[in-house]
Each structure stands twice: as structure tokens, then as C-alpha cells.
Amino acid sequence: MATAIYVRVSTDEQAKKGFSIPAQLEDCRAKAREERVDNEIIEYIDDGITGSILERPSLEKLRNDIRQGIIDTVIVLDPDRLARGTSILLILTEEIEKYCKLMFVNSDYNKTPEGMLFYQLKGIVSEFERAKTRERSMRGIKQKMKLGKIVRGNNLYGYNFNKETDMFDINDEEAEIVRLIFNKFVHPDPCISGPNMIARWLNEQSIPTKKRVGKWHRSVVRRILCNSAYKGEFIQNKTDWNGIVRGRDRITPKQKDPSEWVVVNIPAIIDPAIFEIAQDKIQVSRRLYAGLNKHKYLLSGLCRCSECDRPMRGKKVSRKNKVDYYYYCKCDVEGSQWGCGKSIRCSDIDDIVWNQISQLLNDPDCIEDTNILEDNILDTGYEREIKRLEKELSKIEQMKSRLFELLSTPELVEDVRKKLIDVTEKQTKLLSELECLKKEQSDFDSYQLRKDRLKEVLKVATEYYYGKRMGLGIDEKQHLVRLIVKEIRISSYTDVEIITY
């Protein structure tokens, strides 16, 4: 068993007030010596992380080690180093004391009614201090904004941030690319038009991004086109991050009322008139181009490649004087992952699917006499997903065996232990998914249930079919297919899996 020392500092300002990492470590070590701790000491350090959240790297590692029985004592300088909010402080205290002993250097913490009252009061005071600190900090930030200083979002393509003046200076090389993007969008040529094609062209020309890594994506080009900073108006205080924890998941901050925005004038790269033309084109682009394909695809949005599990999109292919249409497993969005390149002629797949649908619509009772259910038209995909999960679990077992063998290597113990925790968590999650999936399969894997469910869908679809039968165009057929079919998985011309609702 080991003794843990946990230290935390969130800002340089706290370090100036005496909460520096080395000072905390020294005081905690002295406390360990005073308590005559003679076992191994493990230090957990969160540098530059607020105490108002639970998601802290070293704290999460400490909590995992405590749960695994590695730690028997935890030493912290002060309760506000452990947490800055009463609720989080109480959660952590209860969790730690469930497994081991908790000690503070600057607080005589006793688990008595008086001790708990004092402990909670300290948490409330710390929370109040944090709120006041944030208020003073935000007041100073807003004052800097009103003085025309840049305080946030200083990594802007086309500019360099000048730390001495807190202002943007134009980066001539990047600014030329910004002008080129606007020019190609406002005055498109036949080969390059729209954010996606501009992003593709930038990648083909090997033009680097701001961070000099990765590829240009259409969303990046679109953000540049929509950013008023390029016409000389940099907007600050636009979003509210208060109460939002920046974790691993993608999050969207709340947008403040426009009356709270602060506009700072910066050197313009784009003429305001050109910028406004670009905004007009962006506003009407969806209305102008949505649904205007000359060829309508019957199975649009339904086809998926069974090999690489990516969507298959319609594409026109011209060979000499002949034009064909294909469902194509290849992503045309610049910056996205490419598919496997499979292509299937639309007319062939359309006929296969429509023949199945029309057979059911003309004679819904044919379900009793045919093997259409066994032909996977109602395949829920449970077997495929269960096999995938079982395969993943088998790989995890093999990986754990290899990791346990590596535990005998002293220099790798720390890394191996961390990897084992991650792998075990993943295994637990997959086992839970597998159990739920098998339960769903047992509930749904009844022939009569599946047949009744299909009949209910067919009843609605058949009423529509007979109502439109005299003039059934591509739009009506597409509507019927989408009523019945959830997804079509394509492997080849002879291997088409139709999945219904």
C-alpha cells in the first residue's frame, strides 16, 4: 500500500499567493513525516486545472488507484486544493474515506458534527472566493476588450498575434490565401466553386493550414468565409462558457445576446463589400442548390456498403456518348475518410429493391407463402453486431494476457497499469452492450412478431400505393421505399440486404 499526495494549482496568480506546486509538495511531505508515514509516497499533480470540476487527469488517476486498493492514505494541503465547490468536495471526501484515510495539512479535519460543519463551511467560503475571483477577472477582461485589446481567440488564420500590443498583425502569406478563398467563392470558375471544392483545391496545392498539420476541410473554409474579422471586425464576448466543462466530448457553448458582444477593429484583409457578397451567397446556397440534381436516385440516402460500412452516394458516370448512374462507395467531402471505391449500377439495384417492394404492395398476404422474411428483408442486424462484439472481446482478452506478462518489467509497470485500467473499462462496456443486445434479440427474434410488424407498415404503404397507382413517378416510388425500408446493405449485384423498419 502507498500514501498519496495530491496537489493542484489552477493559475499563475495562485502560485504567487503561496499555492505553488513545490510549496504544496514540501508541506505535504512534512505532514507525512510528522505522521510517521514509512510506506511509498506517490505524488499526483494537477497543474493549471480548476478545482471546480471533477475531470482532472491526476485526480482521476488517484481515484482509480484508490478504488484498486493501491492507496491507503491521501494527504492534501487544504480542502480547496481538493475541490472548489462544496458538492464536489463532499463527493470526493466520501469516496476517498470509503477506501482509505484522508488528511489535510492546514485543516484539523475530524469526522464529528462540529468537524463536518467547519469542513463544509470552508468549502462554501472557497466556492464564494472562486466566484468573486471570476467576477473580478471577467471585469478586467471586458475592460481590455473595450480598450480594443484581443483577449481570446488569438489563433486566427491570416493574422499573427502581437503579445506586446495585444493586437493582430496581418500575416502576408496567409492573408493571400484568405483573399484567394473569398475570390474563388465570390467569383467561381467551372472547376472550383463552393467550400468543398475550394478545400480540395487547397489540399491539392499543398497549402498548409494554420497549425501546419492536417488537411483543409470544407467546414474550415466555410468558417473563414463567415468570419467578420476578415473585414476588420473581430467579435469578442460572443459565447458563454460559464458552467461548461471542457472534457473529451465535443461541446457547444451558449451564444450571448448580440448586445453583449464587443467588436474590436483590426486590420482588414477583405474589402467589406466583397465580404457582404460572400455572406449573401452563403445565405442562399442551401436554397439554391438543395435537391436540384438533374437525376433523382430512388434509393438516395438508404444504401450502405456492407464491406466498409460507409454510405453509398449517387454519381453520374459518362463514357464516350453513354451516361450511367451508380451508387458509389466513395466520400466526396474534402477532409473526410475515403470509402472502399465500390460502385454498383443504380438501375440494377433499383430493380431488385422495387420488385421486392411492389410484390409486397400488390399482395401483402404473400408474406404467408414466401420466404421473404428469411431473405433478410427484416434482418435486424443483431447477429452481425453480436459477432462483432464477441470478436472485440476476444481481442481484449488476448491484449490483457500480453499486458499481464509485461507487468514483470519494472520500467513498464506504470504504463501497463494505466493501459490495463483502460482495457478493463472497455471490456466492461462491451460486455454490457453484448448483454443488452442479446436481450433485445431474444425479445425480437420471433417470426410471428416480425411478420405482424411488417404487415402494419405495409398497410400504410399499400393505401398510399393504390391511391397513387395510376401516376407513380420517381417521387412517389421513393416515398414508398422510405416508408418500408430502413437501410440497404450492398455487397454485390447478387448480395443485397434489405433492412425494413
Side-chain angles (χ1 to χ4, degrees), residues 112-232:
T112 61
E114 294 80 5
M116 287 301 295
L117 174 63
F118 177 70
Y119 185 62
Q120 292 179 40
L121 285 173
K122 287 204 72 171
I124 292 169
V125 171
S126 295
E127 198 168 357
F128 172 74
E129 286 178 348
R130 178 178 174 274
K132 292 296 292 182
T133 301
R134 175 178 169 77
E135 183 188 19
R136 289 191 292 268
S137 176
M138 287 304 299
R139 193 185 305 128
I141 288 171
K142 288 179 181 178
Q143 188 62 32
K144 284 186 71 175
M145 290 178 183
K146 291 176 181 178
L147 292 173
K149 306 291 185 181
I150 305 297
V151 296
R152 287 175 181 167
N154 52 27
N155 192 27
L156 183 63
Y157 190 85
Y159 295 92
N160 294 327
F161 181 68
N162 189 326
K163 293 183 179 179
E164 294 181 0
T165 61
D166 289 332
M167 180 51 67
F168 285 124
D169 296 330
I170 291 179
N171 181 318
D172 293 331
E173 182 183 346
E174 293 180 355
E176 193 59 37
I177 302 302
V178 173
R179 295 187 189 101
L180 185 147
I181 289 171
F182 274 88
N183 185 56
K184 288 190 176 297
F185 184 72
V186 174
H187 308 291
D189 58 53
C191 298
I192 304 172
S193 62
N196 190 51
M197 295 182 72
I198 293 172
R200 182 174 301 171
W201 183 85
L202 292 169
N203 288 327
E204 289 172 354
Q205 300 299 313
S206 300
I207 295 172
T209 59
K210 183 68 175 178
K211 294 182 179 179
R212 307 282 166 175
V213 293
K215 297 170 64 178
W216 286 88
H217 194 277
R218 64 176 179 180
S219 60
V220 177
V221 174
R222 187 179 177 85
R223 282 198 296 270
I224 288 175
L225 291 168
C226 294
N227 196 337
S228 63
Y230 295 110
K231 69 172 182 177

Side-chain angles (χ1 to χ4, degrees), residues 302-315:
L302 296 174
C303 297
R304 183 172 291 274
C305 177
S306 60
E307 293 179 17
C308 66
D309 202 39
R310 293 191 64 81
M312 297 182 73
R313 295 175 170 83
K315 186 172 183 178

